[in-house]
Amino acid sequence: MATATGKTANESRTNSDLEADIRQLKADIEKLTKQLAKTGEHGYGTARRAATEGVEQLRAQGEAAFDSLRGNAKDIEAQIAANVREKPVTSLAIAAGVGFLFALLARR
């Protein structure tokens, strides 16, 4: 009977050890679940900040390109105005020729 009692004591220790291990595993799983949720929120926040920064950067680049184009257009306009002032008859002839070409194309 001592052997049977010894086995029962070992089995109960083993069962209680297993139950303790299971409780510990459950607690660890809960901790991991919480950490994963926090990591997911952090990852979402990081991705959102990166997207916002990317949008701001693209907006700044677009505004810079638009300003550059506006400056180029003003330069071209100034050159055309200077050429018209220097050679008004030639400019008038060129404008008439371009108008005539547009009229021909519009008829078709």
Side-chain angles (χ1 to χ4, degrees), residues 78-96:
Q79 287 175 356
I80 290 172
N83 283 338
V84 169
R85 284 188 192 114
E86 286 177 17
K87 303 175 185 176
V89 175
T90 306
S91 300
L92 183 60
I94 290 173

Side-chain angles (χ1 to χ4, degrees), residues 22-61:
I22 289 171
R23 281 191 299 272
Q24 184 62 41
L25 283 173
K26 285 181 181 180
D28 290 344
I29 289 172
E30 286 179 34
K31 286 180 186 177
L32 285 173
T33 303
K34 289 177 183 177
Q35 286 177 347
L36 285 173
K38 287 180 183 178
T39 302
E41 291 172 4
H42 177 67
Y44 173 75
T46 302
R48 186 174 181 156
R49 278 191 302 276
T52 302
E53 290 171 3
V55 166
E56 291 299 322
Q57 184 179 8
L58 287 175
R59 181 178 295 142
Q61 288 175 350

Side-chain angles (χ1 to χ4, degrees), residues 5-19:
T5 308
K7 283 184 182 178
T8 307
N10 285 339
E11 285 176 7
S12 66
R13 279 189 215 154
T14 305
N15 286 341
S16 63
D17 289 342
L18 286 175
E19 288 174 2

